């Protein structure tokens, strides 16, 4: 179980790094929100799943699983609310024409 837990933790850290790179590299708010909500949820899920495997069947594992369920529900909902609010405020999505104007 320790090897599988370590592998899940490593994979989770990889996805968290992809999240950080996507946050820096993507052009606008909507693309960044999409990248962060997807890869961050997956990265945290894998990381906490690895911790559950390391911990074994204990009360701590149950608490980690409950936290994981909350994150799986709350993170995509929060990203949706942020994107919807940004659209209502008037933040327009990036288009290729925007990058042509900058040249």
């Amino acid at each position: 179980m320790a090897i599988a837990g370590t592998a899940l933790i490593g994979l989770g850290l990889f996805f968290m790094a992809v999240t950080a790179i996507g946050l820096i590299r993507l052009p606008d708010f909507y693309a960044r929100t999409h990248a962060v909500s997807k890869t961050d949820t997956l990265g945290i899920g894998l990381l906490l799943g690895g911790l559950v495997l390391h911990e074994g069947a204990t009360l701590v594992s149950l608490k980690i699983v409950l936290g994981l369920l909350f994150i799986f529900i709350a993170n995509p909902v929060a990203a949706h609310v942020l994107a919807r609010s940004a659209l209502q405020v008037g933040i327009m999505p990036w288009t290729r024409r925007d990058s042509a104007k900058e040249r």
Side-chain angles (χ1 to χ4, degrees):
M1 285 300 210
I3 295 172
T6 304
L8 284 178
I9 290 172
L11 200 56
L13 291 175
F14 169 75
F15 278 105
M16 298 299 283
V18 169
T19 300
I21 292 168
L23 191 60
I24 294 169
R25 299 269 306 161
L26 292 172
D28 73 334
F29 176 78
Y30 299 105
R32 290 176 183 163
T33 303
H34 177 74
V36 168
S37 69
K38 301 298 178 194
T39 57
D40 194 33
T41 303
L42 180 61
I44 291 172
L46 290 172
L47 192 86
L48 291 178
L51 290 176
V52 167
L53 288 179
H54 268 289
E55 186 62 32
T58 63
L59 185 60
V60 173
S61 295
L62 177 64
K63 292 177 183 179
I64 292 173
V65 169
L66 290 175
L68 184 62
L69 290 174
F70 174 75
I71 289 170
F72 276 151
I73 293 169
N75 202 5
V77 170
H80 177 76
V81 168
L82 284 172
R84 189 172 170 98
S85 297
L87 192 60
Q88 288 176 349
V89 168
I91 299 175
M92 297 306 296
W94 177 83
T95 61
R96 293 214 181 264
R97 287 179 278 153
D98 293 341
S99 64
K101 290 178 187 176
E102 294 174 0
R103 290 183 191 169

